[in-house]
């Protein structure tokens, strides 16, 4: 390749001298198969799906007062999908923050962040006032790996695999891009109908069991979900709806304001710069994304994070960048959650319904008259 480029006098720059070496470094050959987690769990490594399954089970067992593991559905290859619910016991009805990771198989830093996020919440919820406060009002639902089959395939066969593993054309090509498969302007822009393409949108909206499992669950819970976060890589963006149109959503200004606050918090940790804006305006047009779909069904705050880096390593982000990436992203995500909490639960109080508001006003009038 180098000789050919030189021969044709084409200028170039080598970003990664040895890609295979980088891939090998991110996949430690020797792993302790039955190690105790989370005490012995290393959050600064990438983990295969088998270990993530074990980690989820152990996290629930070790934090049973706060964490429950729930079945979400099954993948095209019949693997179980689970999400974790982090919920402080309470008599009151709480609202929900949803976060999913690993919708694209090769974006390994994404599941690594979901695991880091859970670890940080559980380690700090008693000592961190912000986390302590929003857990009084909000439950956190975390899906560490959405595209399980694809993720396993990226470990075992093709490190840069993106899609799920659904067979098409009598098994001559595989995979649907799950982030083009949601029922939001499905199939209209930024997709392919060729099953060999990286952006193949499937045979119809929610044609894939993974997409369907998420969509049906979110649909059932949508009146309680205030924020939908989906974590990707790479590019260093916080993206707002929409990808399928440049027409902004009705709460565009607020979405941008919160995203800019999150980007500022992120930059404050390690100086990493993120761009903020709607997908169609600052990245590219696409349809069928989970972020657009979540906003379209009425979830007010919906964001895509594209984590490090800017393309030097791309999807093969070195393991020594896991910790700084997760640290800064944690600050951004908790900034968004804190804003949502303060907006819907001002002063730490439960959001009032019209009935409870009327009651509180009556009590206020009676108490004022009595005191005076």
């Amino acid at each position: 390749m180098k000789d050919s480029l030189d021969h044709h006098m084409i200028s170039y720059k080598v970003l990664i001298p040895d890609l295979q070496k980088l891939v090998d470094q991110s996949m430690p050959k020797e792993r302790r198969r039955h190690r105790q987690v989370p005490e012995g769990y290393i959050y600064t490594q990438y983990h295969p799906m088998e270990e993530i399954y074990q980690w989820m089970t152990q996290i629930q067992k070790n934090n049973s007062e706060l964490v429950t593991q729930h079945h979400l559905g099954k993948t095209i290859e019949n693997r179980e999908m689970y999400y974790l619910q982090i919920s402080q016991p309470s008599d009151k009805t709480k609202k929900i923050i949803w976060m999913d990771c690993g919708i694209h198989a090769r974006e390994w830093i994404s599941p690594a962040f979901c695991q880091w996020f859970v670890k940080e919440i559980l380690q700090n919820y008693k000592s961190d006032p912000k986390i302590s406060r929003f857990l009084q009002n909000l439950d956190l639902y975390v899906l560490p790996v959405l595209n399980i089959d694809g993720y396993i395939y990226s470990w075992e066969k093709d490190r840069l695999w993106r899609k799920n593993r659904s067979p098409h054309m009598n098994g001559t090509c595989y995979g649907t891009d799950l982030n083009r498969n949601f029922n939001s302007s499905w199939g209209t822009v930024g997709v392919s109908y060729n099953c060999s393409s990286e952006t193949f949108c499937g045979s119809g909206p929610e044609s894939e069991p993974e997409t369907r499992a998420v969509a049906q669950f979110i649909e059932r819970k949508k009146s309680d979900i205030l924020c939908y976060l989906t974590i990707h890589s790479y590019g260093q963006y916080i993206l707002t709806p929409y990808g399928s149109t440049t027409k902004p959503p009705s709460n565009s200004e607020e979405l941008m304001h919160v995203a800019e606050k999150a980007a500022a918090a992120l930059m404050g940790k390690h100086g990493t710069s993120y761009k903020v804006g709607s997908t169609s305006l600052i990245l590219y047009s696409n349809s069928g994304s989970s972020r657009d779909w979540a906003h379209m069904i009425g979830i007010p705050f919906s964001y895509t994070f594209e984590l490090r880096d800017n393309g030097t390593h791309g999807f093969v982000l070195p393991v020594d960048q896991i910790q700084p990436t997760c640290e800064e992203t944690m600050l951004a995500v908790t900034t968004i959650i804190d804003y949502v909490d303060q907006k819907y639960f001002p002063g730490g109080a439960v959001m009032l319904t019209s009935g409870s508001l009327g009651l509180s006003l009556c009590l206020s009038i009676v108490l004022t008259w009595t005191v005076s």
Side-chain angles (χ1 to χ4, degrees), residues 107-153:
E107 299 169 8
W108 287 9
I109 188 61
S110 168
F113 174 69
C114 260
Q115 294 165 78
W116 182 280
F117 175 81
V118 170
K119 179 258 298 185
E120 286 291 302
I121 294 293
L122 296 177
Q123 283 181 357
N124 298 307
Y125 76 96
K126 289 179 181 175
S127 58
D128 186 313
K130 183 191 289 185
I131 297 173
S132 176
R133 183 186 183 281
F134 65 58
L135 279 183
Q136 292 175 24
N137 305 311
L138 302 168
D139 289 344
L140 309 175
Y141 287 45
V142 180
L143 178 60
V145 185
L146 195 162
N147 180 8
I148 293 168
D149 298 341
Y151 185 70
I152 291 170
Y153 193 79

Side-chain angles (χ1 to χ4, degrees), residues 161-175:
W161 187 258
R162 169 184 169 95
K163 303 181 287 180
N164 78 344
R165 291 295 299 162
S166 57
H168 303 280
M169 304 282 288
N170 296 317
T172 57
C173 64
Y174 283 81

Side-chain angles (χ1 to χ4, degrees), residues 106-284:
R106 62 193 176 191
E107 299 169 8
W108 287 9
I109 188 61
S110 168
F113 174 69
C114 260
Q115 294 165 78
W116 182 280
F117 175 81
V118 170
K119 179 258 298 185
E120 286 291 302
I121 294 293
L122 296 177
Q123 283 181 357
N124 298 307
Y125 76 96
K126 289 179 181 175
S127 58
D128 186 313
K130 183 191 289 185
I131 297 173
S132 176
R133 183 186 183 281
F134 65 58
L135 279 183
Q136 292 175 24
N137 305 311
L138 302 168
D139 289 344
L140 309 175
Y141 287 45
V142 180
L143 178 60
V145 185
L146 195 162
N147 180 8
I148 293 168
D149 298 341
Y151 185 70
I152 291 170
Y153 193 79
S154 74
W155 274 81
E156 296 180 352
K157 301 288 185 184
D158 180 354
R159 174 63 184 84
L160 295 178
W161 187 258
R162 169 184 169 95
K163 303 181 287 180
N164 78 344
R165 291 295 299 162
S166 57
H168 303 280
M169 304 282 288
N170 296 317
T172 57
C173 64
Y174 283 81
T176 294
D177 182 346
L178 298 177
N179 204 41
R180 301 292 184 275
N181 192 236
F182 283 80
N183 193 14
S184 53
S185 304
W186 178 86
T188 56
V189 65
V191 300
S192 172
Y193 292 104
N194 178 352
C195 61
S196 298
S197 168
E198 297 260 271
T199 56
F200 175 55
C201 59
S203 57
E206 296 175 22
S207 61
E208 308 307 300
E210 298 91 343
T211 314
R212 216 158 42 243
V214 172
Q216 288 174 359
F217 179 79
I218 299 293
E219 191 73 49
R220 286 198 304 271
K221 297 275 189 182
K222 68 181 178 183
S223 61
D224 290 321
I225 301 174
L226 298 177
C227 182
Y228 186 103
L229 302 171
T230 181
I231 313 298
H232 293 242
S233 75
Y234 60 94
Q236 297 173 195
Y237 294 97
I238 302 176
L239 300 169
T240 65
Y242 294 111
S244 57
T245 175
T246 54
K247 183 182 177 184
S250 58
N251 64 335
S252 176
E253 282 188 22
E254 187 176 27
L255 283 167
M256 284 293 293
H257 168 68
V258 177
E260 283 162 358
K261 281 184 64 156
L266 186 151
M267 182 181 254
K269 184 65 177 176
H270 296 295
T272 311
S273 177
Y274 270 54
K275 293 177 183 170
V276 173
S278 75
T279 307
S280 57
L281 289 177
I282 69 167
L283 192 54
Y284 49 63

